[in-house]
Amino acid sequence: MGSSVRHSARRRTLGAGLAAVALAAGAVSCSKGASEESPKMTPAAAVAKAAKNAGDITSLRYRMTGEYPEQGRIKAEASMRMKPTIAMSMKMTALDQGKDGSAEIRLVDKAMYIGGNPEMAKEMDGKTWIKFDLSALSDKDLGGGAPGAGQAEQNPAAESTFLTGAKDVKKVGTEKVDGVETTHYSGTVTLDTLRDSFKDEDKATREQREKSIEQYEKMGIDKLTMDMWVDGDDKTKQFRMKGDADKGPLDMTITFLDYNKPVTVTAPAAKDTADLAEMMKGLDES
């Protein structure tokens, strides 16, 4: 293979890897049944209580389905640890992108790894993972959404609290989600009112939620329509957010499968990994 052909293949591979980063753009079994509001518990108060409980989450496993701007329809399942250190693993498929639409993402030790795509491996001497060094970022950056890393690092536990910023929260009814009885609430929130709703939170919480808000601003979204399903333990079992972005509709549903269970993420073997920085350096020097 000539050098120009190899360089072209490498550039296509890098493009596929960066597209995967943009795409990665991450069951409460003992529930007591649907959340039962007391006569004094308004829908807004019930949503606020669930949001407060989200602050106690140290790890979670969740399923994500829906439509993402530019990427189209996606589905994914992920495990994420927020404490003591940030780690995440996600298997994601872009349903409208054919054989190039599947990828596995791992975030561990301040590095992101993209793999699981055989088409990428063909152009990387058989290596099946690309490594993106995120060591310059703090844990707060990683937990709130690393710049350019997209959906993979957005913290769904934090985003599930967004309905607290709505002025029109209402109870829709009771529904089962994955066999769990829940109470369904809905409302709309602008990013400006969302920021106002966080002003009395502690600094760490404000910074984390601000990172999530910035991701939606970058998409050109200024208002979100939200639904939230709360279980009998006053925890969010599922939430859905919809918005109009510059490059297509956002309509994502996150279903929480379990909370605070051990999450272990391991980096792929070095022999199977191509470092993005080294690949870029090789292209620059050629």
Side-chain angles (χ1 to χ4, degrees), residues 16-25 68-71 92 112 114 148-152:
L18 293 173
V21 173
L23 166 63
Y68 204 75
E70 291 191 275
Q71 304 301 330
M92 178 178 283
M112 175 183 277
I114 306 289
Q151 182 65 38

Side-chain angles (χ1 to χ4, degrees), residues 27 59 74 81 88 92 110 128 152 187 190 209 223 231 272 282:
S59 65
I74 66 172
R81 183 182 71 223
M88 185 274 302
M92 178 178 283
K110 293 193 174 182
T128 52
T190 67
R209 294 178 183 175
K223 182 173 73 172
D231 70 15
D272 298 325

Side-chain angles (χ1 to χ4, degrees), residues 55-96:
D56 297 327
I57 296 172
T58 58
S59 65
L60 51 86
R61 188 166 62 90
Y62 62 94
R63 182 173 62 244
M64 180 170 64
T65 60
E67 190 169 3
Y68 204 75
E70 291 191 275
Q71 304 301 330
R73 296 175 302 132
I74 66 172
K75 65 176 183 179
E77 188 162 321
S79 297
M80 186 173 190
R81 183 182 71 223
M82 285 77 84
K83 296 177 182 178
T85 57
I86 300 293
M88 185 274 302
S89 66
M90 174 185 286
K91 291 184 178 180
M92 178 178 283
T93 301
L95 299 174
D96 298 325

